[in-house]
Amino acid sequence: MRRFLLLYATQQGQAKAIAEEICEKAVTHGFSADLHCFSESDKYDLKTETAPLVVVVSTTGNGDPPDTARKFVKAIQDRSLPADFFAHLRLELVVEPWIDGLWAALTKHFTSVGGKEMSGTLTAASDASPRTDPVALELLHVESQVELLRLDDSRKKDSEVLEQSAVNKESSALAADFESSLTRSGPPLSQASLNIPALPPEYLQACLQEPLGQEESQASVTSVDPIFHVPISKAVQLTTNDAIKTTLLVELDISKTNFSYQPGDAFNVICPNSDSEVQDLVQRLQLADRLEHRVFLKIKADTKKKGAALPQHVPEGCSLRFLFTWCLEIRAVPKKAFLRALVDHTSDGAERRRLQELCSRQGAPDYNRLVRDARACVLGLLRAFPSCRPPLGLLLEHLPKLQPRPYSCASSSLFHPGKLHFIFNVVEFPSDSTAGVPRRGVCTGWLATLVESILQPNTRAPPADGEEALAPQITISPRTTNFFHLPNDPSAPVIMVGPGAGVAPFIGFLQHREKLQEQRPGGRFGAMWLFFGCRHKDRDYLFREELRHFLKCGILTHLKVSFSRDACVGEEEAPVKYVQDHIQRHSKQVARVLLHENGYIYVCGDAKNMAKDVNDALVEVISKEVGVEKLEAMRTLATLKEEKRYLQDIW
């Protein structure tokens, strides 16, 4: 059988799940996948590997590698490696639908005789200038090709995508008078023959034992980084009560720890799942009377799963309560493999059929809309399908590790010695159940509840005497890789783009710069631009007084604020709506800073819309001011990224 090496690196378990899906499908396509995590370096050798290599990897934070890939990334960044160290491996560009496209790419590889692959050789990373380094030039070439594919996507869609689109249109026409739900489908799906994925082999057996009465703590939660227990010394609501989003500032007292940070750094908050959701879940699993029982896992002796292993994020002998509270991401969106596994533990025929539909190829639109986009979770599914009674071991196979949540530091230790500030929006989204009660974010909802007793409503007044003693504690850990820092040369000009809570790291930048300028009154300091945006000037203009102070003192040289929901009054000029509009309005200055003054641009905030729109605006600015085609402007931006002068902290 045609073998290929399949490596994955994951932070939240999604890349691993995708890699396992590829591994399971490989056999049906006539391939054999040798599956390993990047961290299992004793089980593969890229220096001598001759089979095709397929990599599934996620990024975290500011494009950082996941924990399981840190060692590998550090190794390939070794400058002493020869340029052709990985010359025997090939880099294949696969366009969506990418898993289906992968089989075509592998087939092409195995059937070609000495033919060249689509794109260049995979070589070691380097920090050298992209204008002279062949490795960086190759990466720029690949990135340009990706951008070209995006630009040309409307004309070059894969035939399978077009076919699926036609099916979707037909389904929409036939079901125009029937709105499907999580539990019910309409024609043609309800009458269709289904292509259902193979049943993933079960491999975990969970045993519950009587509690022994020992204490449990968060220290039992596995972490690659040191953890710190710190008190919350202050909490302030930054928005008015009628703002669409509630934004809170939290101050942590780190004075009695050796936790240190720079402005622009991020850190992790280790958070639990909601007590009420844990209670509801164990009730649904009929385990409510065994919450304090200890959980012991073992691999099933008759399992057919290759490389079955115990999950490392489940401490041996932890209580069932601790397991669901601190170890498992019970809000994770169930993947199709999980839905397929639930089918065999569902007794009602109609419910079985609906679960089969949701995990089938024909039911992909319903899965995307009602499960993925609706952020359904295992508790919502078990409520929706009452006859589904999965064993505990099955949930442990499919629920990923509960991940700590990253937050940007919103302060400078020079400005606030012994303190650490961060801000967050209290996330709310619709319920995934018929109850219709909105759900809060796992971490932001927990933090908001935690600080209720000390929350100051939109004021900077100090807490009352004795209040600090009652302050709640949280557990944090540092994030080990971060490049989102001010330039080493303070004379370099800086452009900061941060609408909403994305302004957080820039408050730290400005505080830090103010202290540096106090320490060096005769020093040369570059211009600092801030493009900030919010919905309403009077409701969610975060840090308004602080920004005015920085502007008045000359720390902030240009402040451009956009209000996306405020209408113009009388004959006044309509306000600029978005940060990208302000960037284009000041295109000459932006281009001058980036292209002629060796300036830096930092973007922080929403990845889905804002970061893409800002990137598009920068392409337009460079294309217009330099007089080049968009593709050349894209290459210029790619060069800025390679030079670490275009930095993003997006989520």
PDB file of all heavy atoms in Angstrom, residues 303-327:
ATOM      1  N   THR A 303      -9.624  -3.037  21.206  1.00  0.00           N
ATOM      2  CA  THR A 303      -9.786  -1.880  20.320  1.00  0.00           C
ATOM      3  C   THR A 303      -9.042  -2.083  18.996  1.00  0.00           C
ATOM      4  O   THR A 303      -7.990  -2.725  18.944  1.00  0.00           O
ATOM      5  CB  THR A 303      -9.280  -0.591  20.995  1.00  0.00           C
ATOM      6  OG1 THR A 303      -9.554   0.510  20.119  1.00  0.00           O
ATOM      7  CG2 THR A 303      -7.782  -0.633  21.257  1.00  0.00           C
ATOM      8  N   LYS A 304      -9.629  -1.521  17.945  1.00  0.00           N
ATOM      9  CA  LYS A 304      -9.006  -1.577  16.623  1.00  0.00           C
ATOM     10  C   LYS A 304      -8.344  -0.254  16.258  1.00  0.00           C
ATOM     11  O   LYS A 304      -7.863  -0.085  15.129  1.00  0.00           O
ATOM     12  CB  LYS A 304     -10.064  -1.938  15.568  1.00  0.00           C
ATOM     13  CG  LYS A 304     -10.653  -3.330  15.767  1.00  0.00           C
ATOM     14  CD  LYS A 304     -11.702  -3.651  14.701  1.00  0.00           C
ATOM     15  CE  LYS A 304     -12.290  -5.035  14.926  1.00  0.00           C
ATOM     16  NZ  LYS A 304     -13.342  -5.355  13.904  1.00  0.00           N
ATOM     17  N   LYS A 305      -8.311   0.680  17.209  1.00  0.00           N
ATOM     18  CA  LYS A 305      -7.702   1.981  16.937  1.00  0.00           C
ATOM     19  C   LYS A 305      -6.184   1.862  16.961  1.00  0.00           C
ATOM     20  O   LYS A 305      -5.603   1.372  17.929  1.00  0.00           O
ATOM     21  CB  LYS A 305      -8.153   3.019  17.956  1.00  0.00           C
ATOM     22  CG  LYS A 305      -7.583   4.413  17.700  1.00  0.00           C
ATOM     23  CD  LYS A 305      -8.119   5.428  18.692  1.00  0.00           C
ATOM     24  CE  LYS A 305      -7.492   6.791  18.476  1.00  0.00           C
ATOM     25  NZ  LYS A 305      -7.800   7.366  17.151  1.00  0.00           N
ATOM     26  N   LYS A 306      -5.541   2.348  15.906  1.00  0.00           N
ATOM     27  CA  LYS A 306      -4.081   2.321  15.839  1.00  0.00           C
ATOM     28  C   LYS A 306      -3.488   3.367  16.775  1.00  0.00           C
ATOM     29  O   LYS A 306      -3.954   4.493  16.832  1.00  0.00           O
ATOM     30  CB  LYS A 306      -3.601   2.600  14.409  1.00  0.00           C
ATOM     31  CG  LYS A 306      -3.954   1.518  13.404  1.00  0.00           C
ATOM     32  CD  LYS A 306      -3.396   1.873  12.025  1.00  0.00           C
ATOM     33  CE  LYS A 306      -3.728   0.808  11.002  1.00  0.00           C
ATOM     34  NZ  LYS A 306      -3.215   1.167   9.643  1.00  0.00           N
ATOM     35  N   GLY A 307      -2.474   2.976  17.500  1.00  0.00           N
ATOM     36  CA  GLY A 307      -1.773   3.914  18.372  1.00  0.00           C
ATOM     37  C   GLY A 307      -2.624   4.488  19.477  1.00  0.00           C
ATOM     38  O   GLY A 307      -2.402   5.624  19.913  1.00  0.00           O
ATOM     39  N   ALA A 308      -3.616   3.721  19.948  1.00  0.00           N
ATOM     40  CA  ALA A 308      -4.493   4.224  21.015  1.00  0.00           C
ATOM     41  C   ALA A 308      -3.672   4.563  22.252  1.00  0.00           C
ATOM     42  O   ALA A 308      -2.785   3.807  22.657  1.00  0.00           O
ATOM     43  CB  ALA A 308      -5.555   3.184  21.350  1.00  0.00           C
ATOM     44  N   ALA A 309      -3.954   5.722  22.851  1.00  0.00           N
ATOM     45  CA  ALA A 309      -3.206   6.160  24.031  1.00  0.00           C
ATOM     46  C   ALA A 309      -4.138   6.873  24.984  1.00  0.00           C
ATOM     47  O   ALA A 309      -5.152   7.461  24.579  1.00  0.00           O
ATOM     48  CB  ALA A 309      -2.057   7.086  23.620  1.00  0.00           C
ATOM     49  N   LEU A 310      -3.804   6.856  26.259  1.00  0.00           N
ATOM     50  CA  LEU A 310      -4.601   7.557  27.251  1.00  0.00           C
ATOM     51  C   LEU A 310      -4.434   9.062  27.065  1.00  0.00           C
ATOM     52  O   LEU A 310      -3.329   9.533  26.781  1.00  0.00           O
ATOM     53  CB  LEU A 310      -4.157   7.168  28.667  1.00  0.00           C
ATOM     54  CG  LEU A 310      -4.350   5.698  29.064  1.00  0.00           C
ATOM     55  CD1 LEU A 310      -3.796   5.464  30.467  1.00  0.00           C
ATOM     56  CD2 LEU A 310      -5.824   5.305  29.009  1.00  0.00           C
ATOM     57  N   PRO A 311      -5.504   9.835  27.208  1.00  0.00           N
ATOM     58  CA  PRO A 311      -5.387  11.292  27.054  1.00  0.00           C
ATOM     59  C   PRO A 311      -4.521  11.884  28.166  1.00  0.00           C
ATOM     60  O   PRO A 311      -4.771  11.651  29.349  1.00  0.00           O
ATOM     61  CB  PRO A 311      -6.837  11.788  27.146  1.00  0.00           C
ATOM     62  CG  PRO A 311      -7.585  10.685  27.822  1.00  0.00           C
ATOM     63  CD  PRO A 311      -6.889   9.416  27.475  1.00  0.00           C
ATOM     64  N   GLN A 312      -3.520  12.669  27.770  1.00  0.00           N
ATOM     65  CA  GLN A 312      -2.576  13.215  28.743  1.00  0.00           C
ATOM     66  C   GLN A 312      -3.197  14.314  29.599  1.00  0.00           C
ATOM     67  O   GLN A 312      -2.648  14.665  30.647  1.00  0.00           O
ATOM     68  CB  GLN A 312      -1.343  13.756  28.020  1.00  0.00           C
ATOM     69  CG  GLN A 312      -0.546  12.677  27.303  1.00  0.00           C
ATOM     70  CD  GLN A 312       0.698  13.240  26.621  1.00  0.00           C
ATOM     71  OE1 GLN A 312       0.938  14.435  26.653  1.00  0.00           O
ATOM     72  NE2 GLN A 312       1.470  12.372  26.003  1.00  0.00           N
ATOM     73  N   HIS A 313      -4.315  14.890  29.155  1.00  0.00           N
ATOM     74  CA  HIS A 313      -4.921  15.985  29.903  1.00  0.00           C
ATOM     75  C   HIS A 313      -5.888  15.507  30.987  1.00  0.00           C
ATOM     76  O   HIS A 313      -6.552  16.336  31.618  1.00  0.00           O
ATOM     77  CB  HIS A 313      -5.642  16.945  28.953  1.00  0.00           C
ATOM     78  CG  HIS A 313      -6.662  16.287  28.080  1.00  0.00           C
ATOM     79  ND1 HIS A 313      -6.338  15.651  26.901  1.00  0.00           N
ATOM     80  CD2 HIS A 313      -8.010  16.165  28.209  1.00  0.00           C
ATOM     81  CE1 HIS A 313      -7.428  15.178  26.344  1.00  0.00           C
ATOM     82  NE2 HIS A 313      -8.463  15.466  27.121  1.00  0.00           N
ATOM     83  N   VAL A 314      -5.979  14.198  31.201  1.00  0.00           N
ATOM     84  CA  VAL A 314      -6.842  13.663  32.255  1.00  0.00           C
ATOM     85  C   VAL A 314      -5.958  13.098  33.358  1.00  0.00           C
ATOM     86  O   VAL A 314      -5.334  12.045  33.182  1.00  0.00           O
ATOM     87  CB  VAL A 314      -7.785  12.569  31.709  1.00  0.00           C
ATOM     88  CG1 VAL A 314      -8.627  11.983  32.843  1.00  0.00           C
ATOM     89  CG2 VAL A 314      -8.688  13.126  30.616  1.00  0.00           C
ATOM     90  N   PRO A 315      -5.866  13.774  34.515  1.00  0.00           N
ATOM     91  CA  PRO A 315      -5.035  13.257  35.605  1.00  0.00           C
ATOM     92  C   PRO A 315      -5.598  11.936  36.132  1.00  0.00           C
ATOM     93  O   PRO A 315      -6.812  11.787  36.295  1.00  0.00           O
ATOM     94  CB  PRO A 315      -5.120  14.355  36.679  1.00  0.00           C
ATOM     95  CG  PRO A 315      -5.656  15.565  35.978  1.00  0.00           C
ATOM     96  CD  PRO A 315      -6.497  15.058  34.851  1.00  0.00           C
ATOM     97  N   GLU A 316      -4.727  11.003  36.398  1.00  0.00           N
ATOM     98  CA  GLU A 316      -5.170   9.704  36.888  1.00  0.00           C
ATOM     99  C   GLU A 316      -5.816   9.848  38.263  1.00  0.00           C
ATOM    100  O   GLU A 316      -5.283  10.500  39.163  1.00  0.00           O
ATOM    101  CB  GLU A 316      -3.986   8.732  36.976  1.00  0.00           C
ATOM    102  CG  GLU A 316      -4.402   7.323  37.391  1.00  0.00           C
ATOM    103  CD  GLU A 316      -3.238   6.348  37.437  1.00  0.00           C
ATOM    104  OE1 GLU A 316      -2.090   6.808  37.313  1.00  0.00           O
ATOM    105  OE2 GLU A 316      -3.476   5.145  37.606  1.00  0.00           O
ATOM    106  N   GLY A 317      -6.990   9.254  38.406  1.00  0.00           N
ATOM    107  CA  GLY A 317      -7.655   9.248  39.698  1.00  0.00           C
ATOM    108  C   GLY A 317      -8.315  10.545  40.090  1.00  0.00           C
ATOM    109  O   GLY A 317      -8.687  10.729  41.253  1.00  0.00           O
ATOM    110  N   CYS A 318      -8.506  11.483  39.130  1.00  0.00           N
ATOM    111  CA  CYS A 318      -9.202  12.727  39.467  1.00  0.00           C
ATOM    112  C   CYS A 318     -10.694  12.440  39.621  1.00  0.00           C
ATOM    113  O   CYS A 318     -11.206  11.429  39.138  1.00  0.00           O
ATOM    114  CB  CYS A 318      -8.968  13.792  38.404  1.00  0.00           C
ATOM    115  SG  CYS A 318      -9.766  13.464  36.816  1.00  0.00           S
ATOM    116  N   SER A 319     -11.393  13.320  40.309  1.00  0.00           N
ATOM    117  CA  SER A 319     -12.830  13.129  40.489  1.00  0.00           C
ATOM    118  C   SER A 319     -13.566  13.454  39.198  1.00  0.00           C
ATOM    119  O   SER A 319     -13.063  14.176  38.336  1.00  0.00           O
ATOM    120  CB  SER A 319     -13.355  14.022  41.618  1.00  0.00           C
ATOM    121  OG  SER A 319     -13.317  15.386  41.222  1.00  0.00           O
ATOM    122  N   LEU A 320     -14.779  12.930  39.091  1.00  0.00           N
ATOM    123  CA  LEU A 320     -15.602  13.210  37.917  1.00  0.00           C
ATOM    124  C   LEU A 320     -15.896  14.706  37.833  1.00  0.00           C
ATOM    125  O   LEU A 320     -15.897  15.291  36.740  1.00  0.00           O
ATOM    126  CB  LEU A 320     -16.900  12.411  37.997  1.00  0.00           C
ATOM    127  CG  LEU A 320     -17.787  12.402  36.751  1.00  0.00           C
ATOM    128  CD1 LEU A 320     -17.071  11.763  35.574  1.00  0.00           C
ATOM    129  CD2 LEU A 320     -19.096  11.665  37.035  1.00  0.00           C
ATOM    130  N   ARG A 321     -16.123  15.348  38.978  1.00  0.00           N
ATOM    131  CA  ARG A 321     -16.379  16.788  39.008  1.00  0.00           C
ATOM    132  C   ARG A 321     -15.166  17.559  38.467  1.00  0.00           C
ATOM    133  O   ARG A 321     -15.297  18.449  37.644  1.00  0.00           O
ATOM    134  CB  ARG A 321     -16.695  17.249  40.423  1.00  0.00           C
ATOM    135  CG  ARG A 321     -17.019  18.743  40.509  1.00  0.00           C
ATOM    136  CD  ARG A 321     -17.033  19.238  41.955  1.00  0.00           C
ATOM    137  NE  ARG A 321     -17.988  18.516  42.769  1.00  0.00           N
ATOM    138  CZ  ARG A 321     -19.275  18.823  42.860  1.00  0.00           C
ATOM    139  NH1 ARG A 321     -19.757  19.842  42.159  1.00  0.00           N
ATOM    140  NH2 ARG A 321     -20.076  18.127  43.639  1.00  0.00           N
ATOM    141  N   PHE A 322     -13.970  17.209  38.951  1.00  0.00           N
ATOM    142  CA  PHE A 322     -12.750  17.876  38.509  1.00  0.00           C
ATOM    143  C   PHE A 322     -12.524  17.653  37.011  1.00  0.00           C
ATOM    144  O   PHE A 322     -12.134  18.567  36.280  1.00  0.00           O
ATOM    145  CB  PHE A 322     -11.550  17.339  39.300  1.00  0.00           C
ATOM    146  CG  PHE A 322     -10.261  18.065  39.023  1.00  0.00           C
ATOM    147  CD1 PHE A 322      -9.915  19.191  39.741  1.00  0.00           C
ATOM    148  CD2 PHE A 322      -9.389  17.623  38.034  1.00  0.00           C
ATOM    149  CE1 PHE A 322      -8.730  19.872  39.489  1.00  0.00           C
ATOM    150  CE2 PHE A 322      -8.213  18.293  37.768  1.00  0.00           C
ATOM    151  CZ  PHE A 322      -7.876  19.423  38.500  1.00  0.00           C
ATOM    152  N   LEU A 323     -12.807  16.451  36.552  1.00  0.00           N
ATOM    153  CA  LEU A 323     -12.614  16.105  35.142  1.00  0.00           C
ATOM    154  C   LEU A 323     -13.432  17.018  34.237  1.00  0.00           C
ATOM    155  O   LEU A 323     -12.899  17.612  33.282  1.00  0.00           O
ATOM    156  CB  LEU A 323     -13.021  14.648  34.918  1.00  0.00           C
ATOM    157  CG  LEU A 323     -13.014  14.134  33.470  1.00  0.00           C
ATOM    158  CD1 LEU A 323     -11.592  14.026  32.950  1.00  0.00           C
ATOM    159  CD2 LEU A 323     -13.710  12.781  33.385  1.00  0.00           C
ATOM    160  N   PHE A 324     -14.733  17.171  34.543  1.00  0.00           N
ATOM    161  CA  PHE A 324     -15.598  17.979  33.685  1.00  0.00           C
ATOM    162  C   PHE A 324     -15.429  19.482  33.941  1.00  0.00           C
ATOM    163  O   PHE A 324     -15.735  20.291  33.069  1.00  0.00           O
ATOM    164  CB  PHE A 324     -17.061  17.583  33.884  1.00  0.00           C
ATOM    165  CG  PHE A 324     -17.454  16.339  33.135  1.00  0.00           C
ATOM    166  CD1 PHE A 324     -17.975  15.242  33.786  1.00  0.00           C
ATOM    167  CD2 PHE A 324     -17.293  16.260  31.754  1.00  0.00           C
ATOM    168  CE1 PHE A 324     -18.336  14.095  33.100  1.00  0.00           C
ATOM    169  CE2 PHE A 324     -17.651  15.123  31.056  1.00  0.00           C
ATOM    170  CZ  PHE A 324     -18.165  14.036  31.730  1.00  0.00           C
ATOM    171  N   THR A 325     -14.925  19.850  35.118  1.00  0.00           N
ATOM    172  CA  THR A 325     -14.772  21.273  35.434  1.00  0.00           C
ATOM    173  C   THR A 325     -13.474  21.846  34.884  1.00  0.00           C
ATOM    174  O   THR A 325     -13.467  22.953  34.333  1.00  0.00           O
ATOM    175  CB  THR A 325     -14.825  21.488  36.959  1.00  0.00           C
ATOM    176  OG1 THR A 325     -16.058  20.980  37.464  1.00  0.00           O
ATOM    177  CG2 THR A 325     -14.715  22.970  37.298  1.00  0.00           C
ATOM    178  N   TRP A 326     -12.369  21.119  34.997  1.00  0.00           N
ATOM    179  CA  TRP A 326     -11.048  21.682  34.693  1.00  0.00           C
ATOM    180  C   TRP A 326     -10.314  21.027  33.533  1.00  0.00           C
ATOM    181  O   TRP A 326      -9.301  21.579  33.073  1.00  0.00           O
ATOM    182  CB  TRP A 326     -10.147  21.610  35.934  1.00  0.00           C
ATOM    183  CG  TRP A 326     -10.593  22.491  37.045  1.00  0.00           C
ATOM    184  CD1 TRP A 326     -11.268  22.123  38.174  1.00  0.00           C
ATOM    185  CD2 TRP A 326     -10.410  23.915  37.155  1.00  0.00           C
ATOM    186  NE1 TRP A 326     -11.522  23.216  38.970  1.00  0.00           N
ATOM    187  CE2 TRP A 326     -10.995  24.330  38.373  1.00  0.00           C
ATOM    188  CE3 TRP A 326      -9.806  24.867  36.335  1.00  0.00           C
ATOM    189  CZ2 TRP A 326     -10.996  25.656  38.782  1.00  0.00           C
ATOM    190  CZ3 TRP A 326      -9.803  26.191  36.745  1.00  0.00           C
ATOM    191  CH2 TRP A 326     -10.385  26.581  37.951  1.00  0.00           C
ATOM    192  N   CYS A 327     -10.760  19.878  33.070  1.00  0.00           N
ATOM    193  CA  CYS A 327      -9.943  19.118  32.099  1.00  0.00           C
ATOM    194  C   CYS A 327     -10.516  19.061  30.691  1.00  0.00           C
ATOM    195  O   CYS A 327      -9.746  18.988  29.728  1.00  0.00           O
ATOM    196  CB  CYS A 327      -9.737  17.681  32.602  1.00  0.00           C
ATOM    197  SG  CYS A 327      -8.980  17.577  34.234  1.00  0.00           S
TER     198      CYS A 327
END
